[in-house]
Amino acid sequence: MDYKALAQETAQEVLEYNQDTSGWKVVKTSKKVTVSSKASKKFHGNLYRVEGIIPESTTKLSDFLYKPENRVTWDKSLKVYNMVHKIDSDTFICHTITQSFAMGSISPRDFIDLVYFKRYEGNMDIISSNSVDFPSYPPSSNYIRGYNHACGYICSPLQENPAHSKLVMFIQTEMRGKLSPSIIEATMPSNLVSFILNAKDGIKALRTPGGRGYHHSGHPSFLKKK
């Protein structure tokens, strides 16, 4: 499989989602985070758009969002987040295992995702992900293997305050298993709001004394060759 070509295609899809303004329906607004949805063209489920403001620069936000070494410390939806194969300086494959959701009615899933970082004009960053088959990590009997259709984060400077960032997230996750779509639709918006709030808290914690700090670079620092 040409992982790099797929990664670039996925980033382009995420960019197109961001430019598509039609058909979105607001399904939740909470704590200055807005969740909208529309029918996915990839599977029988929804494509979600999540928008929030993060009080941090775009470069630092992008660096923070996909650092494998601290992801599980702030993302309360995950039990495991590991980079399992590095393709190049901005492309890698990761294995994630989620926590259970909806008071246990949605059991943990695992995912194998191709992740790609790209910087566009205007200091806009896209971090895209799409599930792939990766022979070294076949599905196991311990978890239902979910599938992420083209997903991603778009980080860009806030026009009125470039020291802060606008974060727009697109998610279309196929949970698989025997879940009722109504359970997913009922729980997903709140989970997505929680993700943005957890990210805000996590990046704030890094700024405090004793935090792990940042690496100033054009790419997420963990992808830089050691």
Side-chain angles (χ1 to χ4, degrees):
M1 177 181 288
D2 187 344
Y3 289 123
K4 187 69 177 186
L6 177 59
Q8 292 168 337
E9 288 170 16
T10 303
Q12 182 60 34
E13 283 189 74
V14 172
L15 183 61
E16 289 170 5
Y17 293 153
N18 193 48
Q19 295 166 341
D20 177 13
T21 58
S22 64
W24 295 100
K25 177 186 176 184
V26 175
V27 293
K28 189 174 184 67
T29 303
S30 176
K31 298 182 179 178
K32 299 182 179 179
V33 179
T34 302
V35 183
S36 308
S37 73
K38 66 194 301 185
S40 170
K41 294 179 181 178
K42 301 277 190 177
F43 75 115
H44 294 298
N46 287 330
L47 167 63
Y48 290 93
R49 176 186 179 118
V50 194
E51 298 177 69
I53 305 301
I54 306 292
E56 191 55 88
S57 71
T58 297
T59 299
K60 290 178 180 177
L61 176 61
S62 301
D63 195 32
F64 166 81
L65 277 173
Y66 262 96
K67 275 186 178 176
E69 67 266 26
N70 67 11
R71 180 65 178 261
V72 294
T73 64
W74 63 266
D75 187 348
K76 296 178 173 57
S77 69
L78 297 182
K79 284 199 283 191
V80 171
Y81 184 94
N82 289 326
M83 179 167 62
V84 296
H85 179 63
K86 181 176 175 179
I87 295 165
D88 61 23
S89 63
D90 52 19
T91 317
F92 69 98
I93 291 172
C94 73
H95 179 229
T96 60
I97 302 173
T98 67
Q99 305 282 4
S100 60
F101 292 105
M103 314 242 283
S105 59
I106 301 177
S107 61
R109 263 57 176 171
D110 82 332
F111 297 85
I112 294 289
D113 291 326
L114 173 67
V115 181
Y116 175 58
F117 173 95
K118 183 173 182 180
R119 171 152 291 167
Y120 291 79
E121 288 183 17
N123 200 28
M124 180 180 76
D125 295 340
I126 292 183
I127 305 168
S128 62
S129 63
N130 201 115
S131 287
V132 292
D133 291 323
F134 188 57
S136 300
Y137 278 78
S140 77
S141 58
N142 296 328
Y143 300 100
I144 296 170
R145 174 66 55 90
Y147 191 95
N148 283 315
H149 299 273
C151 297
Y153 305 90
I154 299 182
C155 309
S156 58
L158 197 60
Q159 283 188 329
E160 57 268 33
N161 183 0
H164 290 185
S165 300
K166 180 180 180 182
L167 174 60
V168 183
M169 179 168 68
F170 295 94
I171 299 291
Q172 47 185 343
T173 299
E174 193 170 350
M175 293 290 191
R176 298 186 171 169
K178 299 178 180 179
L179 279 177
S180 162
S182 61
I183 292 178
I184 297 170
E185 289 173 17
T187 58
M188 187 66 86
S190 293
N191 290 337
L192 294 173
V193 169
S194 294
F195 176 89
I196 298 285
L197 298 178
N198 288 340
K200 272 187 178 179
D201 288 343
I203 205 165
K204 182 179 177 182
L206 281 186
R207 288 201 305 268
T208 59
R212 303 248 339 240
Y214 295 105
H215 298 256
H216 299 271
S217 65
H219 289 74
S221 62
F222 69 91
L223 292 174
K224 288 291 186 185
K225 291 180 179 177
K226 305 298 185 198

